[in-house]
Amino acid sequence: MAASAGPEIERLIALLAKLPGLGPRSARRAALQLLKKRDQLLVPLAAAMTEAAEKVVACSVCGTPDTRDPCAICSDPARDDGLICVVEEAGALWAMERSGAFRGRYHVMGGLLSALDGVGPDQLRVAELVGRVKGTGAREVVLALPATVDGQTTAHYLAERLSGSGVEITSLARGVPVGGDLDWLDDGTIVQALRARRPA
Ligand code: ZN
């Protein structure tokens, strides 16, 4: 079958199709839109992507992407060092920040334990978390992980690894829907879930 567009456009579509939520069909529509809105969309997007690729790094303390290391949250002196909120990915961190309900620090795991996908503790930022909790003498770790099988497996594993360190381990109350990703929730739900957190 002949490609319906030139190789450059097909390549753009193929790359866009790898983004979450975009299948081949939506990728084709997105590419078309980008090409139509060259000055408003395509050129500024390309520049923003180049800039992000050059400047954004993972914070060496918490793992969140930022243009500086340590990131803005880790270097904010007004935040509570004794409180560390553990999230799967930075999307959940951003959702927590939008809610404005949390004034501690974060730790981004970079994924979840998954027997099915072959993800073990070594592929996640587990050792960094354990080291951080011991090093900073944090008093509470809030496990804000998804209410999925992998999320709960990861939460149990982390609770076990941190037991004996003297830190209190809590998890978000379940106004959070089962299977729900934190970054899909409205701010009010996050605020409630955080207030009603309970021992993990
Ligand atoms: Zn950080």
Side-chain angles (χ1 to χ4, degrees), residues 58-64 66 68-75 106 132:
C59 171
S60 56
V61 179
C62 73
T64 199
D66 201 345
R68 56 174 164 157
D69 183 18
C71 72
I73 293 173
C74 286
S75 37
Y106 291 94
R132 234 181 124 184

Side-chain angles (χ1 to χ4, degrees), residues 145-152 174 176-181:
L145 297 170
T148 57
V149 172
D150 288 346
Q152 294 316 293
R174 292 295 169 221
V176 181
V178 172
D181 242 327

Side-chain angles (χ1 to χ4, degrees), residues 15-101:
L15 287 169
L16 286 170
K18 293 184 184 201
L19 294 173
L22 284 193
R25 203 182 151 84
S26 325
R28 206 160 279 279
R29 287 176 55 201
L32 196 61
Q33 192 67 3
L34 285 165
L35 294 167
K36 260 170 80 177
K37 304 211 164 176
R38 189 192 158 81
D39 292 335
Q40 305 100 301
L41 217 50
L42 181 60
V43 173
L45 181 66
M49 285 176 137
T50 303
E51 194 176 18
E54 280 167 4
K55 294 188 183 163
V56 176
V57 291
C59 171
S60 56
V61 179
C62 73
T64 199
D66 201 345
T67 50
R68 56 174 164 157
D69 183 18
C71 72
I73 293 173
C74 286
S75 37
D76 180 352
R79 285 186 173 256
D80 185 349
D81 278 324
L83 202 52
I84 300 176
C85 181
V86 176
V87 293
E88 177 188 359
E89 295 289 0
L93 181 160
W94 294 331
M96 296 280 288
E97 284 299 289
R98 281 197 303 272
S99 82

Side-chain angles (χ1 to χ4, degrees), residues 140-196:
E140 181 179 345
V141 169
V142 184
L143 299 173
L145 297 170
T148 57
V149 172
D150 288 346
Q152 294 316 293
T153 304
T154 308
H156 286 136
Y157 177 81
L158 293 177
E160 213 163 90
R161 283 291 301 268
L162 292 169
S163 71
S165 62
V167 73
E168 187 187 0
I169 299 159
T170 57
S171 59
L172 293 188
R174 292 295 169 221
V176 181
V178 172
D181 242 327
L182 222 56
D183 49 357
W184 292 354
L185 295 183
D186 64 282
D187 300 351
T189 307
I190 291 178
V191 172
Q192 284 306 323
L194 191 60
R195 282 199 189 126

